[in-house]
Amino acid sequence: MFGGGDETSRRAVLKGAVAVGGAAALSACLEETDPEPVPSGPEDPSSLSERQHAWNDRVRTDDHGNTLLPRHQLLLYLTLPGDGPPEAAARRDVESALRTLDRAYERSSDGLLHSLAYSPRYFDRFGVDLPASIDLPEPRALSPFEAPEFDRQDALLHLASDRADVVLAAEEALRGNEPTANGRDLESALTDVFEVTDRRSGFVGAGMPAERQDGLAGIPSSNPVPEESPLFMGFVAGFRKNQATEDYVTLSDGPFAGGTTKHVSNLRMRLDDWYGEQSFEERVAELFSPVHAADGLVDGVGANLGDDSGITPEMIDEIRQHARRFGRVGHAQKAARANRNEDGTVRTLRRHFESTDDDEASLHFPSLQRGITTFEEVREAMNGTDLADVPTIRQRVNNGILEYVFVKRRGNFLVPPRSQRSLPTPTGETPGI
Ligand code: HEM
């Protein structure tokens, strides 16, 4: 398929394999890597965590204990036929397909991480409200300057692995295009029940954005994304101490105890001015805080920060004074204002990754928290609308990174615990399983 072994086009196919998907992309991966065997999952999946979102112990970590998300990621947005609630047979098919995945792949970055989540629109099918304790509103615009499309598909399947071939092989099996996944027979495909109505892909990790930047819309033609950066904007994110724990974001009671909520946005990036007009110090000031820039706290992509971004209570409390003194405010500094509870505990667990979908640089931004309202509050803090009365600060200028990111889509989902992951009712039952 490489037209006589043309090495350049071969590498291009591999880089884009998960973005493109399908049998040809899968065989391109398999031909390239002569892959190691993929570790299998347990024979008895009940030994797995009840939390579908329990990924942190299953991924690589860096020298500071920060989790490193799987390098390849896929979001499959799924729609059920008709308007009514699903039938027990559909539920059994979904569970059977997911159990096969559980057995086929070790739940880890070397194998496969996955989770299936449901939208408010899905629960509406039952004509019964979700319990009031479940904070799962329909998605809405979260800033005065965005007009996103809303993802209201029934369900969202998230697949992630350090191996592109694993993500692609799992997808092919779930779509019924392959009879097996890692040697395990599938009795039913996910597409026996759902239609895949949207497919979005991504990646995260040092080297991956730089490798994909050439010719990409949103990235200046000078290809400025540093080789060591896991993200297009040139810095690391997701320090351990600035992330909520999985325990904290887990619902502790109610019919979906053990689950969590997931907001997923998609933001387009336009980084011409980010790299073209801003110095390194200005980028540090706008992404972290002006004090980070003034005190030289960030080297290169910021790995020197260790396990904490260095956002202090003072930077949060004195943001207005900083705005006046430095003429700008930082993204992390602003968002942190709403991202702590009364005792300082972090409220959201961000698991964002980059994308070249539609041939433009973008970001898929899943965030886990106990309730969607928490995410909405954090996003409002990131908007910094309350700071735009400071003379140098405008809604999207000198106001964190808002000048460079544009929200395209938003969706809200409930991630049930594993035992309720297959087409649950609003009261958490799974009749027929
Ligand atoms: C291109 C887009 C984005 C980039 C490159 C980015 C990058 C960063 C970086 C480097 C940090 C500081 C390190 C850390 O704590 O992880 C940070 C913090 C943070 N960001 Fe973003 N971010 C982006 C979009 C967003 C969006 C859309 C939200 C949604 C509200 C968000 C919410 C946060 C929060 C809550 C923090 C932590 C603040 C704290 O509590 O300390 N970010 N981000």
Side-chain angles (χ1 to χ4, degrees), residues 233 236-239 242 331 336 339-340 350 363 365 378 382 401:
M233 290 191 88
V236 293
F239 299 99
N242 310 97
H331 160 73
N339 198 30
R340 308 275 185 279
R350 294 164 283 130
L363 176 84
F365 199 101
V378 173
M382 170 178 159
I401 55 174

Side-chain angles (χ1 to χ4, degrees), residues 217-247:
I219 304 285
S221 54
S222 59
N223 288 346
V225 179
E227 185 58 40
E228 326 75 72
S229 177
L231 299 173
F232 282 121
M233 290 191 88
F235 295 93
V236 293
F239 299 99
R240 185 158 58 87
K241 293 196 172 146
N242 310 97
Q243 291 276 46
T245 61
E246 285 174 351
D247 278 346

Side-chain angles (χ1 to χ4, degrees), residues 142 231-244 263 265-269 271 274 287-288 292 301 305 307-312 316 331-340 344-350 352-354 362-363 365 367 374-383 401-402 404-407 410:
L142 296 181
L231 299 173
F232 282 121
M233 290 191 88
F235 295 93
V236 293
F239 299 99
R240 185 158 58 87
K241 293 196 172 146
N242 310 97
Q243 291 276 46
H263 177 87
S265 48
N266 176 220
L267 288 81
R268 168 161 198 202
M269 281 178 255
L271 301 183
W274 177 249
L287 197 46
F288 293 89
H292 280 70
V301 297
L305 290 166
D307 62 4
D308 190 322
S309 69
I311 295 292
T312 61
I316 296 173
H331 160 73
Q333 173 184 31
K334 261 188 306 172
R337 297 183 294 169
N339 198 30
R340 308 275 185 279
T345 308
V346 178
R347 302 168 78 202
T348 58
L349 176 50
R350 294 164 283 130
H352 55 93
F353 53 93
E354 304 291 46
S362 84
L363 176 84
F365 199 101
S367 171
T374 299
F375 181 82
E376 294 185 344
E377 290 166 2
V378 173
R379 173 64 211 207
E380 190 182 346
M382 170 178 159
N383 291 343
I401 55 174
L402 296 173
Y404 320 99
V405 295
F406 302 83
V407 179
R410 293 192 180 282

Side-chain angles (χ1 to χ4, degrees), residues 23-249:
L26 174 57
S27 58
C29 285
L30 296 174
E31 279 169 34
E32 161 72 2
T33 47
D34 186 15
E36 297 270 304
V38 182
S40 310
E43 199 49 49
D44 175 11
S46 65
S47 63
L48 294 171
S49 170
E50 251 296 85
R51 296 179 186 169
Q52 292 197 76
H53 59 288
W55 291 15
N56 285 3
D57 288 344
R58 304 270 166 171
V59 298
R60 288 171 294 118
T61 50
D62 68 12
D63 296 344
H64 306 286
N66 302 311
T67 55
L68 298 171
L69 288 171
R71 287 166 72 81
H72 300 279
Q73 309 230 2
L74 192 60
L75 299 171
L76 297 179
Y77 289 79
L78 307 169
T79 303
L80 291 168
D83 300 325
E87 295 184 356
R91 190 168 286 129
R92 281 192 292 270
D93 283 348
V94 171
E95 185 56 26
S96 160
L98 294 178
R99 264 189 211 167
T100 306
L101 279 197
D102 288 340
R103 292 197 178 103
Y105 298 105
E106 180 179 275
R107 185 170 291 200
S108 72
S109 301
D110 295 331
L112 181 73
L113 294 168
H114 61 90
S115 73
L116 184 58
Y118 295 90
S119 69
R121 198 52 76 86
Y122 163 78
F123 288 109
D124 284 350
R125 291 173 169 274
F126 294 84
V128 182
D129 286 345
L130 278 167
S133 61
I134 308 285
D135 178 3
L136 185 73
E138 286 278 348
R140 60 188 181 102
L142 296 181
S143 66
F145 48 87
E146 66 180 50
E149 279 177 41
F150 298 116
D151 284 316
R152 296 198 164 110
Q153 304 88 335
D154 288 289
L156 171 60
L157 182 71
H158 190 161
L159 301 176
S161 174
D162 275 343
R163 287 180 53 166
D165 60 318
V166 168
V167 171
L168 290 169
E171 181 189 12
E172 284 297 282
L174 291 171
R175 285 178 182 264
N177 297 336
E178 284 291 332
T180 58
N182 203 21
R184 287 265 175 190
D185 290 334
L186 265 86
E187 280 165 30
S188 55
L190 208 58
T191 46
D192 295 346
V193 176
F194 291 107
E195 187 187 342
V196 179
T197 36
D198 287 278
R199 180 188 191 279
R200 301 183 195 145
S201 70
F203 51 87
V204 61
M208 298 179 90
E211 197 184 28
R212 288 160 175 78
Q213 66 184 315
D214 193 28
L216 196 62
I219 304 285
S221 54
S222 59
N223 288 346
V225 179
E227 185 58 40
E228 326 75 72
S229 177
L231 299 173
F232 282 121
M233 290 191 88
F235 295 93
V236 293
F239 299 99
R240 185 158 58 87
K241 293 196 172 146
N242 310 97
Q243 291 276 46
T245 61
E246 285 174 351
D247 278 346
Y248 188 82
V249 301

Side-chain angles (χ1 to χ4, degrees), residues 385-399:
T385 308
D386 57 313
L387 299 165
D389 60 328
V390 174
T392 53
I393 308 240
R394 284 192 272 139
Q395 180 57 83
R396 303 192 83 157
V397 179
N398 294 332
N399 200 343

Side-chain angles (χ1 to χ4, degrees), residues 268-309:
R268 168 161 198 202
M269 281 178 255
R270 292 212 178 101
L271 301 183
D272 281 297
D273 290 349
W274 177 249
Y275 283 110
E277 285 192 351
Q278 305 261 94
S279 65
F280 174 79
E281 284 71 26
E282 287 166 327
R283 292 199 289 275
V284 168
E286 289 199 339
L287 197 46
F288 293 89
S289 85
V291 175
H292 280 70
D295 293 354
L297 300 182
V298 179
D299 282 342
V301 297
N304 69 299
L305 290 166
D307 62 4
D308 190 322
S309 69

